[in-house]
Amino acid sequence: MAVMRIQSLKVSNLRGALRHRLSPPKHEVLVAKGVIVDDSAEEFKEIFSEFGSLCEEELKRLEEFFKIAESKGYKHKIRKNATIQEVLISYSSEDFSKDLGVVSRIKEDVGKFIEVFREKFCFEPFAEYFIHKDDKGRYHVHLLFSLVKPDLTKKIKWNSKTYFEIVKKFSKRATRVKFSERKRSGAYPLWLIRELERVVGREKAKEVVKVARKRGLKAVDLVELLRKLRLNQVNLTNFLAEGWGTSERRFGDTKFCAKSPMEGVQEQRNQREEVIKVLQRIFLKKRKSGQ
């Protein structure tokens, strides 16, 4: 039986999350991906097409896909705490009798979720899906979606009541999927755990998460740990063996304070490409000229 869960992803942290979906860790492979756009989203399609013609890197295109929606077509700044939603469906080995046709059946499940969403809100969300297969032959799918309407005017409200209303209908249509009563997929974002797996390996990542939970560490602390690991500034053995203080963190001989979420947001903003500024100028000129 497949299990379905949901989590919120900050738009400011999308780059890291999408990097995992496009390039999963060594024990997984990406077998299919795609985007979903409501037929009525004409302005969005125009802007996204313009961006795609100026940006060749797929990761940046997929990131900007949501940023175009969340900024309502570059008309407004994206809120600091803006989020999109991600549904994760993990299938067991028994959910499919044969490997043949699995991807198409998972796509059908994605389509059924979008169908139920449309029945509730009368539009299809801006969405991206990524189907992964692990080294044990099990599949899972990430479905990320924005709550902004196709005409880019406003964002619909989303809460646990709405989620359960949708997934209860969905699980009746996709009978192999069982949804979890927990709204979130765990104590730490799934993308963060996957990035740890990419850097230190699957087994070590399990140890890190186990130790972090035992010590009551926050996600922002693990993000900082991940950053230090990438820069080879952390002795992982010391981290697993030693405790942390509450205000200061120490890895081996490196002493630092955990980076605040706002610093991470600013770093993400600074990395945005010049191509976005070019796009904004293009569409500003169009609006001024009445095109």
Side-chain angles (χ1 to χ4, degrees):
M1 179 67 73
V3 176
M4 175 179 178
R5 292 174 182 168
I6 193 168
Q7 66 177 346
S8 297
L9 298 175
K10 281 193 174 184
V11 177
S12 58
N13 294 334
L14 267 180
R15 180 73 62 89
L18 288 170
R19 184 179 289 111
H20 160 69
R21 278 90 180 132
L22 274 178
S23 304
K26 293 180 180 179
H27 64 278
E28 296 178 2
V29 293
L30 174 67
V31 294
K33 64 182 183 298
V35 299
I36 298 169
V37 181
D38 194 292
D39 290 338
S40 64
E42 295 178 1
E43 182 181 6
F44 175 89
K45 289 178 181 178
E46 182 184 2
I47 297 174
F48 188 56
S49 176
E50 289 276 1
F51 179 82
S53 66
L54 294 170
C55 179
E56 295 182 359
E57 188 177 332
E58 186 174 20
L59 175 60
K60 292 176 183 174
R61 289 200 306 272
L62 293 175
E63 180 186 28
E64 202 63 22
F65 176 91
F66 287 115
K67 290 188 174 182
I68 291 170
E70 293 295 319
S71 66
K72 299 179 177 62
Y74 298 134
K75 298 186 188 83
H76 304 283
K77 287 185 177 180
I78 298 174
R79 290 186 297 107
K80 294 176 182 178
N81 60 343
T83 61
I84 64 170
Q85 304 302 312
E86 178 185 40
V87 165
L88 173 66
I89 304 176
S90 300
Y91 297 88
S92 70
S93 303
E94 293 74 36
D95 283 322
F96 306 104
S97 57
K98 296 180 180 179
D99 204 37
L100 186 66
V102 171
V103 172
S104 62
R105 281 180 278 175
I106 293 176
K107 287 182 180 179
E108 286 177 7
D109 288 344
V110 170
K112 289 174 182 176
F113 181 87
I114 297 297
E115 181 181 89
V116 175
F117 186 100
R118 173 181 273 280
E119 290 175 5
K120 172 67 176 176
F121 296 110
C122 299
F123 70 87
E124 292 184 0
F126 297 107
E128 297 173 357
Y129 65 85
F130 304 85
I131 301 174
H132 292 173
K133 180 181 179 182
D134 68 17
D135 53 11
K136 295 183 179 179
R138 295 172 301 195
Y139 291 82
H140 65 269
V141 58
H142 300 266
L143 174 62
L144 292 74
F145 60 97
S146 170
L147 301 172
V148 175
K149 289 189 171 183
D151 60 4
L152 303 176
T153 55
K154 64 180 180 178
K155 198 170 184 175
I156 60 170
K157 292 183 179 179
W158 183 265
N159 52 40
S160 57
K161 181 180 179 181
T162 301
Y163 165 69
F164 287 124
E165 181 182 341
I166 289 175
V167 298
K168 283 178 182 177
K169 285 186 179 180
F170 167 70
S171 60
K172 290 179 181 179
R173 300 183 192 184
T175 53
R176 61 175 150 259
V177 180
K178 177 183 178 181
F179 72 93
S180 170
E181 291 291 341
R182 293 190 304 168
K183 185 175 182 289
R184 292 184 60 81
S185 60
Y188 305 114
L190 184 62
W191 69 265
L192 178 55
I193 295 174
R194 296 307 189 205
E195 285 299 311
L196 282 170
E197 290 175 350
R198 186 197 306 277
V199 174
V200 302
R202 195 174 186 181
E203 294 306 315
K204 284 292 183 183
K206 287 181 181 179
E207 290 184 55
V208 169
V209 172
K210 183 178 179 180
V211 168
R213 285 175 176 158
K214 185 177 180 180
R215 295 174 186 167
L217 302 182
K218 296 180 179 180
V220 66
D221 295 324
L222 277 192
V223 170
E224 182 64 9
L225 170 62
L226 178 62
R227 189 177 73 86
K228 291 287 182 178
L229 286 169
R230 285 173 173 162
L231 296 173
N232 294 319
Q233 296 177 348
V234 174
N235 186 313
L236 188 58
T237 302
N238 288 352
F239 165 75
L240 294 173
E242 297 175 2
W244 272 8
T246 54
S247 60
E248 291 183 335
R249 316 302 191 212
R250 181 182 290 276
F251 295 105
D253 296 326
T254 304
K255 181 178 179 182
F256 63 97
C257 292
K259 181 186 291 186
S260 71
M262 281 310 301
E263 288 177 314
V265 170
Q266 188 60 47
E267 187 175 316
Q268 287 277 338
R269 287 174 180 166
N270 292 339
Q271 293 174 352
R272 304 241 356 230
E273 297 296 315
E274 185 65 27
V275 66
I276 299 173
K277 295 180 181 178
V278 174
L279 258 181
Q280 289 171 331
R281 287 197 294 270
I282 290 173
F283 281 91
L284 183 62
K285 288 180 181 177
K286 283 187 177 182
R287 290 193 180 98
K288 285 183 177 178
S289 62
Q291 294 181 9

